[in-house]
Amino acid sequence: MRGYSAIREGRLQRLLLVLSLVLSVASVIHVLSTPPATGYEPSVTSAYSMELFGAVAVSSVLGLFVDATSERKRYWWKFLIPLFVSYLLLFCLPLFRGYALYGRGNSDILFHLGEARTIVNTGFISPDNWYPVIHVLLAVLEQFGIPLEQGRYLVPLLFFGLYLGFVSLYANRVASNSTESIVLIGCALPLLFGRFHLSLHPSVLSFFVAPVFLYLLESYRSGKEQRRFTALSLVFASFVLFFHPITTLLVAVLILAYTVSSRLTRVVRRTTPTTDRRTATVFLFVLVGFSTWYTQFERLGTNLVQFIAPALRTRESAAEAQQAEAMGLKPTELVVQFLELYGSIAVYALLSGLFVVAVTVAVAKRTAKRRDLDAAVQLFAGGGIAIGLVFYFTMSPIRGFRYLILAMTLAVGLLVSRRYGREQRRGFARVGALGVCLVLLVTFLAVGGLYTDHNHLTHSEAAGAEHTIETATGKYDTASYSTSRDIAWYSLGYRTATERDVQPFRGGGPETEPPPSLGYGDDGDRPGDAFETYPQYLFLTEHDRRAPYNGSERAYTESEHARLADDRAANKVYENGETELWLVDPAERQ
């Protein structure tokens, strides 16, 4: 019991606080001492050692370990400092590498920064911008001296901080003691949303606000915050309404699921829940607000048609599988890739299954707690939504799982805190320690899926794209393997690029891509043949020569590039080291 006494006296808390700060400082020194990239590199994280991510994971959970196994809750808030430093480092790695931006090609980041640039340049929101919250926030940060390229890293960190804060409020409301509350918060720490933490995508960032509705609903049902429930719920519902349409509907489902769990509680526990009259008011407000606001946008209607018709979309997971098969990845490499992308979610899914079994047994014995029933109902709701979004509407897995991820976070937290509570009297709680180690493991797995390879925009490529936009607009279309019209939206602002009818890169995709292998796939092939009979610009980047393309190792080889240089129909008009602009005119060959 000597070690446990040390915890009670706070000595071990202070020791681990110092250790956490040392790990954070070491991480900062490691990142700052690593020189920026001098040329194209395939991965944002390749320049850093794995020890960096291990240090980030360890420093993130040390505070939780100490506080969850102690009686004096004196130091836990101080561990927010190394946690914030660690996540700030992770989110801003592209800045330290010296990239122009993390996000390229058809990345949604370029579009959203373009919408924000429109607000900065004109002072107005684009007429067809139906979810302006993230764009207005970025524009406001620009006015305070934080450029859009830097704000795009701070905004995701801000919303993840809100997510943790709202989960904390809910945890404090449903937990029976501070230990259970901290365990719940700890289970929300890992970056379970993977690359979407940095995608700047409103569909995920807006969902980080969803836990506040759990807190408000629980406060209302427990007889607290009765007067402020409707006002606060309507304020946050309005915020989400202008943030993203799908999240608005998910919030409606969350409210409905909470109502169902209330009635289930009455059946199991034979208690009378608080009336749902005000809850129904908020639910109707969300639905009416959704139909009133979003039905006025014609572009949204077009997107919804494409979203609802699975035949018009390509299943992302299938495309990834085809690419992996074409590149001949070994089974072990596939396992590693899966763990990086979805390993943390798989761990939470397994534990959530155990939680459902435990709740089912408790329901059969009529001993189930209200909070457990709430989490179980949210799990089933999230599972149904995930199946619909991913397997029918073919949404990418993490975006489709976002509701389920929140529900699994609550389920795992309740499962670990339940087991911890049973073991707490045994001194240094074994199950509690195991739970914190689990959070450490999941945190480490989640960090691996934060960045994807070949997804950053270098300054050279950005400069080459800007030159191409100015050169080619009003002249010829521009073919590119990996650059789309989104780069014009980012450079000029969405509204400006649309009004100027910028032609370079158009929409991307097969209709504007160059022919495979620059048109030299066979001995008799030439780019002029594939480019039909009219002149066209060809925009090539270092990314094309280094990144996988349609199942191949790269878009074209050095020998095929040499043939292009010798082709009479091709004339290089621009080069900056990483990008080239060619004018291909089939008439020159005749």
Side-chain angles (χ1 to χ4, degrees):
M1 301 297 292
R2 181 180 179 182
Y4 189 62
S5 299
I7 296 178
R8 294 181 60 183
E9 296 171 3
R11 286 178 288 177
L12 186 57
Q13 287 181 320
R14 291 192 293 269
L15 175 63
L16 292 184
L17 174 59
V18 172
L19 178 59
S20 181
L21 290 173
V22 168
L23 289 174
S24 295
V25 172
S27 300
V28 172
I29 294 175
H30 178 50
V31 170
L32 295 181
S33 62
T34 303
T38 57
Y40 186 89
E41 56 186 13
S43 173
V44 175
T45 59
S46 59
Y48 305 106
S49 62
M50 291 300 294
E51 286 77 7
L52 168 66
F53 306 107
V56 168
V58 172
S59 64
S60 300
V61 298
L62 279 177
L64 292 167
F65 179 82
V66 174
D67 206 48
T69 53
S70 65
E71 292 184 354
R72 294 183 182 182
K73 314 299 176 183
R74 298 172 52 191
Y75 292 95
W76 74 270
W77 64 270
K78 297 180 181 179
F79 284 87
L80 293 177
I81 299 174
L83 174 65
F84 176 77
V85 171
S86 299
Y87 277 179
L88 182 63
L89 278 179
L90 287 177
F91 279 55
C92 295
L93 283 183
L95 282 179
F96 296 115
R97 299 305 304 138
Y99 300 141
L101 192 68
Y102 178 73
R104 61 175 321 284
N106 290 312
S107 174
D108 291 324
I109 295 172
L110 300 176
F111 166 74
H112 295 301
L113 290 179
E115 286 281 22
R117 198 178 301 279
T118 294
I119 299 175
V120 172
N121 294 340
T122 66
F124 298 97
I125 300 173
S126 299
D128 57 350
N129 185 353
W130 65 78
Y131 48 3
V133 170
I134 194 72
H135 313 132
V136 172
L137 180 57
L138 286 167
V140 170
L141 291 177
E142 174 85 14
Q143 299 303 312
F144 281 94
I146 302 177
L148 298 179
E149 291 77 9
Q150 297 178 13
R152 63 87 64 238
Y153 302 107
L154 297 180
V155 167
L157 184 62
L158 168 65
F159 276 95
F160 185 61
L162 288 176
Y163 175 77
L164 294 177
F166 292 145
V167 170
S168 301
L169 290 175
Y170 175 75
N172 290 330
R173 185 66 71 199
V174 302
S176 57
N177 54 57
S178 57
T179 296
E180 290 187 350
S181 175
I182 292 169
V183 171
L184 271 168
I185 297 169
C187 290
L189 280 178
L191 303 174
L192 297 175
F193 296 88
R195 61 187 178 87
F196 283 97
H197 279 284
L198 286 169
S199 68
L200 206 64
H201 204 294
S203 66
V204 174
L205 294 185
S206 59
F207 194 74
F208 285 160
V209 183
V212 75
F213 291 96
L214 293 173
Y215 162 73
L216 292 173
L217 288 165
E218 180 63 27
S219 298
Y220 173 59
R221 191 170 63 179
S222 60
K224 303 174 182 178
E225 307 288 351
Q226 290 269 348
R227 296 181 178 179
R228 294 188 293 177
F229 167 75
T230 303
L232 290 175
S233 297
L234 293 180
V235 168
F236 281 105
S238 300
F239 181 73
V240 171
L241 179 65
F242 295 107
F243 211 148
H244 198 269
I246 301 299
T247 300
T248 304
L249 296 178
L250 293 181
V251 167
V253 173
L254 184 149
I255 296 172
L256 182 62
Y258 217 84
T259 303
V260 171
S261 64
S262 297
R263 299 188 180 278
L264 183 61
T265 300
R266 182 175 60 183
V267 173
V268 175
R269 302 288 293 174
R270 296 176 181 177
T271 58
T272 303
T274 306
T275 177
D276 295 329
R277 187 174 303 170
R278 294 187 180 183
T279 304
T281 300
V282 178
F283 178 77
L284 291 176
F285 173 82
V286 171
L287 294 183
V288 173
F290 176 87
S291 60
T292 303
W293 172 249
Y294 287 107
T295 53
Q296 61 181 306
F297 295 98
E298 181 179 354
R299 186 159 65 97
L300 176 62
T302 302
N303 286 10
L304 286 177
V305 170
Q306 295 177 349
F307 175 73
I308 293 174
L312 299 179
R313 297 173 61 90
T314 301
R315 184 167 297 178
E316 183 173 326
S317 57
E320 292 176 353
Q322 290 178 356
Q323 179 173 333
E325 181 179 359
M327 295 185 64
L329 293 181
K330 300 178 181 179
T332 53
E333 294 174 329
L334 289 174
V335 171
V336 171
Q337 192 176 72
F338 173 82
L339 290 177
E340 288 181 349
L341 295 176
Y342 311 115
S344 55
I345 297 178
V347 173
Y348 270 45
L350 176 63
L351 293 176
S352 297
L354 297 177
F355 173 79
V356 171
V357 172
V359 172
T360 302
V361 173
V363 168
K365 296 180 179 179
R366 294 189 176 275
T367 59
K369 295 182 179 180
R370 187 179 66 182
R371 64 182 190 181
D372 294 339
L373 292 173
D374 292 339
V377 172
Q378 295 294 346
L379 266 178
F380 283 108
I385 292 171
I387 292 173
L389 293 180
V390 175
F391 295 100
Y392 180 74
F393 294 115
T394 64
M395 184 177 288
S396 60
I398 293 181
R399 283 181 63 192
F401 288 170
R402 57 188 184 273
Y403 191 114
L404 182 59
I405 289 173
L406 172 60
M408 289 192 300
T409 299
L410 302 179
V412 173
L414 292 173
L415 178 68
V416 175
S417 63
R418 169 190 294 199
R419 294 301 307 161
Y420 176 79
R422 295 180 180 178
E423 301 284 342
Q424 194 170 11
R425 295 181 181 179
R426 300 182 183 180
F428 219 104
R430 293 172 297 172
V431 178
L434 179 63
V436 175
C437 291
L438 173 66
V439 175
L440 177 64
L441 169 64
V442 173
T443 301
F444 189 77
L445 289 174
V447 167
L450 189 60
Y451 289 99
T452 55
D453 294 346
H454 303 289
N455 194 37
H456 48 279
L457 182 70
T458 65
H459 287 283
S460 296
E461 183 175 346
E466 290 179 6
H467 174 85
T468 302
I469 291 170
E470 296 299 325
T471 301
T473 297
K475 296 180 181 179
Y476 310 120
D477 289 339
T478 303
S480 173
Y481 287 107
S482 60
T483 306
S484 73
R485 65 181 174 185
D486 293 25
I487 192 68
W489 297 344
Y490 160 69
S491 300
L492 304 176
Y494 173 75
R495 188 172 182 179
T496 301
T498 304
E499 291 177 349
R500 288 178 56 182
D501 190 23
V502 175
Q503 294 300 315
F505 317 121
R506 290 191 294 184
E511 70 278 5
T512 56
E513 289 181 359
S517 302
L518 292 173
Y520 299 107
D522 297 325
D523 292 338
D525 290 342
R526 297 174 300 180
D529 299 332
F531 280 73
E532 300 180 0
T533 59
Y534 55 88
Q536 190 170 4
Y537 283 111
L538 175 62
F539 183 70
L540 303 179
T541 69
E542 186 68 19
H543 177 276
D544 304 331
R545 294 186 281 269
R546 303 283 294 276
Y549 175 75
N550 285 350
S552 302
E553 292 186 2
R554 59 186 63 88
Y556 57 88
T557 64
E558 292 296 333
S559 61
E560 291 162 349
H561 183 265
R563 291 184 63 182
L564 177 67
D566 295 334
D567 198 312
R568 293 176 52 189
N571 180 33
K572 185 190 296 184
V573 296
Y574 173 82
E575 181 181 13
N576 69 2
E578 289 188 19
T579 63
E580 299 173 352
L581 182 63
W582 297 75
L583 178 60
V584 180
D585 187 357
E588 293 295 329
R589 187 179 288 121
Q590 299 176 359

